[in-house]
Amino acid sequence: MENDEENEDEKEDEKMSKYCNPLIFIIIFLVVLVILMLSLVVFWKLEVGESCPKNCPELPNECKTAECVALAGTLLSWQNTSVDPCEDFYEYTCGKYHEHTANEGTRMHEKDEIVLNLIKHFILKNQSTNSRSEIALKLLYKSCTESHRRENIEDHIERVQVEIFQNIQKIGKWPIADKNWKESDFDLNEMLTNMAKLHMQDFGFFETGLVEYPINGSPKQLIIRPSLDRFSISQEKLAETIFDVLRFSGHDALRKNLLRDVQESLDLDKELGNFYISLNSWPISASLEEVQSAVPNIDFERIMKSFLHPEHGNWTRLKAKISSGRFDSFFNSKNNISAIISRTKPRILANYLILKYIEYAQFFYALAPISLESEYDTCLMVITSFLPRAAIRVFVRNHFKKENKAVASELVDVIKKAYIEMIQNSTWLHEETRKKAILKVETLKKVIGYTEEYEKEGALDAMFETNLRISESIMLGNHFQLHLSPQDSFFTLMTKINRFKTEQLMEYVSSDSLFNPVEKTTTANAYYYHSKNLLSVLVPFLDKPLFDFQYPKYVAMAGVGRILAHEIGHAFDTKGRHFNELGEKTDWWTPEDSVEYDKRVMCLRDQFENFKDPSYGGRQNDSETASEMVADALGLEASWIALESMDMSKEESLVKFGNEDFRKLFFQVAALDFCSPTRIDTHHPRFLVDLSHPTNRFRINGAFSNLESFAKTYECPVGSRMNPEKKCRMF
């Protein structure tokens, strides 16, 4: 029996060992796991089937370009979701802005600094280049920085004084510096002409300048007008400056006679400044021939011709664009500048003209000594201001996506259609006003980045090309050459560049071009010009993070699109509404519409007056602020209409925003451009000056609260701060 029991135990052990095999347990575990997973899948499908029985929406594709990812990060980082968007949308969108930037302004201001730093980085790179525009930039920047270092500033000033005296000799004989000077040496028009050749446009007796206002059918004019600027320094300071010019040039002057001569020039300048210059006389134009007849002492035609390039300037075209106004200093029959010239001694006239040049020339060495550790780079400002096309070419060539330009141009067209729709749907505009408002939108001109003549590959640099040696000449225009040399002093470089800019300006006045060659181009901004009915959009404004051609449509319309719509809104602001489609100042509104318009503007003003902004304590300029508020109101309405006209079915979402309503993202992106640091500091400059624009907080909370579309998108209850019962609407 014992043996039988032992046999039974052995069999039982064998049986247990078979069931305890690890492989069997693993198989059983996997089977159970599969059953559980299948059960979960079936359960999930049942749940989904109940929530969307027909067409369950798919998550949209995400825009994963670097620009889109960065934008998504900005939205998430800057927003403060603990704030109710219906109570304070500024804080909801921008509440944490100050935690993520050291910038003292908005992201547009930061873009300005980025563009300048990119240009500076390029200039300072130790990299050779065959581009003559780049060589010009580097040459001017190097000369500026070296001349204005503290250890070099004294030598620089001394050299400038010598070169000023050399230019004076080109203008004419100077009684103060020439003991043998006699009246027969004086030739008024010869001196004025030579001053013009040195790029002077203010001669004390009169000045010339570009005015972009339609006169006699021409949108651009070279205007002859009374000189507004009088001597800004004292007799002693002016005499001291003159003494330095003479001393460094190896000439002596008696101090007593010098003070007398200076005082005589100051007295003449004061007499010329006594004329009453009425703005009311400005619209009454006078031709070049009429001004010449009124002031026969001055050969205006000869002087104007000297502004042109001696070989390629077109006098016939320029002459047709020259005009003036019937100012007392020209047309007063009893006393005008002609009478003053006739009764003033030639010695005084000669000294006066030279002193005007000396005061003007001081600008070129008035720059403070430059510290390499300084955050403000004066010389960078110099090159971007005096060689604006060359500067922007560096940015376009190395950093700008040209596709952005085309997409932005299309955006403008979409916005124009939205404006026309908004005007057509106005409940209060009379038909006469409505038609003229639509015509103004339809005829609006645009310059997106730069004009067509620079569209071709390499065109921006072609204007700088020449076959001459680099050290001898740099070409900066289609027909004009700017001769720059490494041996030129900073003062000489600036004199040559300013002379060239004068020639460019005359070419611009004579032509039909919309691209002003002397305007600064490196800021991230857009502008509307009343007198030209022109929208001008600068290149940096069309670059990341503000814009990218691959942004979803709702992002592009909310960012750059809204600002473009704002600028177009200036066509109908408190100033722009007084200009017609040609840029002529005229009243094209019916009396009833003017009254209604003013009521609606007053609504905005009252709204702003009652708006509490803890970050600002200064006064507001009502006139300027009203214009900006009107442009904000119209721009937001137009950009929303444009957004609603677009097909968004295939637009990508932003990373981390999933199925977020693109309408909500539209308002969030639109608000980003107004995010700025909050300063509750009564010593901050913003508390000490009048602002021309409403505060950034108002431009979000105030402007957005007037939109029914915003209240509907965020489901804000009536009576909440972002959905007040009373709203201010324009059209």
Side-chain angles (χ1 to χ4, degrees):
M1 289 187 64
E2 286 180 2
N3 289 336
D4 290 340
E5 286 179 1
E6 287 178 1
N7 290 335
E8 286 292 329
D9 290 340
E10 288 177 1
K11 289 179 181 180
E12 190 67 26
D13 290 342
E14 290 177 5
K15 186 176 180 180
M16 289 298 295
S17 64
K18 185 187 295 183
Y19 286 114
C20 290
N21 191 316
L23 182 62
I24 295 175
F25 274 106
I26 291 172
I27 293 172
I28 294 172
F29 173 77
L30 291 175
V31 170
V32 172
L33 182 62
V34 169
I35 292 172
L36 287 172
M37 290 178 67
L38 289 173
S39 300
L40 288 172
V41 170
V42 171
F43 177 77
W44 178 79
K45 286 189 173 182
L46 288 174
E47 287 294 310
V48 171
E50 291 178 3
S51 60
C52 46
K54 294 184 179 180
N55 298 315
C56 187
E58 297 181 0
L59 289 173
N61 293 327
E62 292 179 335
C63 179
K64 294 185 178 179
T65 65
E67 290 77 12
C68 279
V69 172
L71 175 64
T74 296
L75 287 166
L76 293 169
S77 299
W78 292 4
Q79 67 181 357
N80 182 359
T81 54
S82 67
V83 176
D84 183 353
C86 291
E87 291 299 318
D88 189 343
F89 195 66
Y90 177 89
E91 193 65 26
Y92 175 79
T93 305
C94 308
K96 296 184 178 180
Y97 174 79
H98 63 284
E99 297 179 11
H100 300 276
T101 181
N103 177 35
E104 286 296 313
T106 65
R107 63 178 187 160
M108 290 176 66
H109 296 133
E110 187 172 32
K111 184 63 181 179
D112 291 345
E113 295 177 9
I114 290 171
V115 172
L116 290 176
N117 285 332
L118 289 172
I119 294 172
K120 182 175 181 178
H121 174 74
F122 176 84
I123 290 171
L124 295 179
K125 276 196 308 184
N126 187 21
Q127 181 177 329
S128 61
T129 175
N130 293 321
S131 165
R132 299 182 186 276
S133 62
E134 295 170 0
I135 293 170
L137 284 172
K138 291 189 175 189
L139 182 60
L140 182 60
Y141 185 82
K142 181 180 179 181
S143 179
C144 178
T145 53
E146 290 184 353
S147 298
H148 293 86
R149 293 180 188 274
R150 292 191 180 277
E151 62 270 25
N152 297 332
I153 193 67
E154 288 186 8
D155 290 340
H156 166 62
I157 292 175
E158 181 175 341
R159 184 171 180 178
V160 166
Q161 305 288 20
V162 173
E163 292 184 274
I164 287 177
F165 187 79
Q166 291 171 350
N167 282 345
I168 289 172
Q169 291 178 309
K170 295 176 184 178
I171 293 173
K173 290 188 176 181
W174 183 17
I176 288 178
D178 188 351
K179 295 179 180 179
N180 298 319
W181 184 91
K182 51 187 181 297
E183 289 191 0
S184 59
D185 293 329
F186 177 66
D187 186 331
L188 175 64
N189 288 299
E190 178 71 13
M191 293 187 74
L192 290 171
T193 299
N194 291 333
M195 291 168 74
K197 290 179 180 178
L198 286 170
H199 63 78
M200 281 191 71
Q201 295 186 54
D202 184 349
F203 306 93
F205 300 106
F206 70 96
E207 66 180 20
T208 63
L210 169 67
V211 172
E212 301 193 73
Y213 178 83
I215 301 175
N216 300 326
S218 175
K220 291 177 289 189
Q221 299 285 322
L222 182 64
I223 296 295
I224 302 171
R225 59 196 174 199
S227 178
L228 297 177
D229 292 333
R230 314 295 1 145
F231 279 120
S232 58
I233 55 179
S234 66
Q235 178 200 32
E236 291 76 14
K237 182 64 177 177
L238 188 54
E240 182 181 337
T241 302
I242 295 168
F243 189 78
D244 287 340
V245 171
L246 294 170
R247 178 167 58 88
F248 288 123
S249 302
H251 292 73
D252 295 322
L254 295 176
R255 193 84 175 173
K256 180 180 178 181
N257 293 336
L258 179 59
L259 289 173
R260 181 202 64 194
D261 287 329
V262 169
Q263 188 58 53
E264 288 175 342
S265 292
L266 292 174
D267 291 342
L268 173 58
D269 192 62
K270 183 178 180 180
E271 184 178 8
L272 292 169
N274 287 335
F275 288 103
Y276 173 67
I277 301 175
S278 172
L279 295 178
N280 293 329
S281 65
W282 185 249
I284 305 173
S285 64
S287 66
L288 174 60
E289 290 76 12
E290 289 175 309
V291 177
Q292 186 66 76
S293 177
V295 188
N297 325 56
I298 298 177
D299 190 344
F300 290 102
E301 182 168 319
R302 178 184 175 186
I303 297 165
M304 299 298 107
K305 280 183 178 179
S306 65
F307 287 141
L308 291 166
H309 187 280
E311 296 178 13
H312 304 292
N314 190 318
W315 170 246
T316 302
R317 286 192 302 174
L318 180 63
K319 184 178 180 180
K321 303 289 186 72
I322 298 175
S323 64
S324 183
R326 294 193 174 277
F327 300 101
D328 280 350
S329 57
F330 299 156
F331 290 94
N332 189 311
S333 59
K334 296 181 180 180
N335 186 38
N336 61 13
I337 61 172
S338 182
I340 293 176
I341 291 171
S342 297
R343 65 174 178 258
T344 303
K345 294 178 181 179
R347 177 184 177 87
I348 297 175
L349 294 173
N351 282 332
Y352 177 71
L353 292 176
I354 298 299
L355 265 59
K356 291 299 290 185
Y357 172 73
I358 290 175
E359 184 190 42
Y360 172 72
Q362 297 306 306
F363 168 77
F364 298 121
Y365 75 92
L367 302 174
I370 293 170
S371 169
L372 294 178
E373 291 76 27
S374 173
E375 293 183 4
Y376 183 78
D377 191 333
T378 306
C379 290
L380 188 60
M381 297 299 105
V382 168
I383 66 168
T384 55
S385 298
F386 288 89
L387 291 175
R389 293 195 198 185
I392 198 61
R393 180 194 171 279
V394 168
F395 179 75
V396 169
R397 181 186 176 199
N398 296 287
H399 305 284
F400 183 62
K401 296 180 181 179
K402 293 186 178 179
E403 297 91 340
N404 289 2
K405 185 176 179 295
V407 174
S409 184
E410 293 171 3
L411 270 182
V412 174
D413 294 336
V414 173
I415 292 167
K416 286 175 66 174
K417 291 179 181 178
Y419 261 97
I420 292 172
E421 179 181 337
M422 179 170 61
I423 294 168
Q424 286 174 334
N425 294 336
S426 173
T427 58
W428 59 273
L429 283 175
H430 288 74
E431 193 61 24
E432 179 183 349
T433 308
R434 191 192 314 273
K435 286 181 178 180
K436 291 179 179 178
I438 291 174
L439 178 62
K440 189 171 185 179
V441 175
E442 290 175 338
T443 56
L444 173 78
K445 299 180 287 293
K446 61 181 177 180
V447 175
I448 309 298
Y450 40 85
T451 47
E452 292 181 2
E453 58 259 41
Y454 306 112
E455 285 285 2
K456 295 180 181 179
E457 185 69 26
L460 277 173
D461 196 45
M463 55 195 281
F464 292 82
E465 291 298 336
T466 179
N467 293 323
L468 299 179
R469 287 182 297 167
I470 293 174
S471 62
E472 294 181 353
S473 179
I474 299 173
M475 186 173 179
L476 299 179
N478 294 330
H479 302 293
F480 310 124
Q481 287 182 343
L482 174 61
H483 299 267
L484 302 179
S485 167
Q487 283 70 49
D488 288 337
S489 68
F490 175 66
F491 181 86
T492 298
L493 289 174
M494 292 293 286
T495 300
K496 290 180 177 180
I497 290 170
N498 275 280
R499 169 63 200 180
F500 174 73
K501 286 181 66 177
T502 300
E503 293 174 359
Q504 282 190 311
L505 189 62
M506 297 306 110
E507 178 72 9
Y508 172 67
V509 173
S510 304
S511 71
D512 296 325
S513 174
L514 297 174
F515 190 43
N516 189 329
V518 301
E519 286 185 345
K520 194 171 181 180
T521 57
T522 53
T523 55
N525 216 329
Y527 304 94
Y528 173 79
Y529 296 93
H530 301 132
S531 61
K532 295 188 283 186
N533 195 24
L534 170 70
L535 174 68
S536 178
V537 185
L538 302 184
V539 168
F541 180 69
L542 302 176
D543 191 53
K544 62 180 184 297
L546 306 174
F547 185 67
D548 186 77
F549 76 98
Q550 291 180 302
Y551 274 159
K553 291 179 182 177
Y554 56 88
V555 171
M557 184 55 67
V560 162
R562 184 205 58 77
I563 296 176
L564 295 178
H566 165 92
E567 292 303 324
I568 295 175
H570 281 300
F572 305 101
D573 69 14
T574 55
K575 293 180 179 178
R577 79 178 193 90
H578 296 293
F579 293 79
N580 65 13
E581 76 281 0
L582 299 176
E584 299 168 329
K585 193 170 184 179
T586 182
D587 187 4
W588 50 272
W589 297 65
T590 66
E592 297 85 356
D593 288 343
S594 290
V595 171
E596 180 63 27
Y597 178 93
D598 290 341
K599 287 181 181 178
R600 290 170 182 263
V601 172
M602 186 55 67
C603 179
L604 291 171
R605 284 180 166 174
D606 291 342
Q607 187 181 52
F608 181 56
E609 185 178 343
N610 295 321
F611 184 79
K612 305 298 182 183
D613 190 337
S615 65
Y616 181 76
R619 303 180 305 279
Q620 296 290 323
N621 182 325
D622 279 348
S623 176
E624 294 291 335
T625 305
S627 290
E628 294 299 330
M629 288 189 291
V630 170
D632 278 345
L634 293 174
L636 275 170
E637 187 72 29
S639 56
W640 178 262
I641 293 171
L643 179 79
E644 292 288 83
S645 71
M646 293 177 164
D647 180 9
M648 297 292 171
S649 60
K650 297 181 181 179
E651 293 305 298
E652 295 176 319
S653 178
L654 295 178
V655 175
K656 298 293 184 181
F657 283 88
N659 271 325
E660 181 77 14
D661 187 349
F662 70 84
R663 295 173 182 83
K664 288 186 175 181
L665 287 173
F666 168 84
F667 287 111
Q668 276 192 264
V669 173
L672 289 181
D673 290 318
F674 300 117
C675 294
S676 60
T678 299
R679 304 288 182 199
I680 307 177
D681 179 4
T682 57
H683 298 291
H684 193 271
R686 285 189 290 175
F687 282 81
L688 307 177
V689 298
D690 295 336
L691 295 182
S692 60
H693 288 61
T695 60
N696 289 324
R697 189 178 293 269
F698 179 82
R699 298 186 76 179
I700 295 179
N701 287 355
F704 288 20
S705 69
N706 288 322
L707 295 174
E708 293 286 354
S709 52
F710 177 87
K712 182 178 179 181
T713 298
Y714 279 90
E715 299 179 347
C716 296
V718 176
S720 61
R721 290 185 179 178
M722 296 303 299
N723 187 18
E725 294 184 10
K726 181 182 178 182
K727 292 181 170 60
C728 300
R729 301 283 298 276
M730 289 307 298
F731 290 155

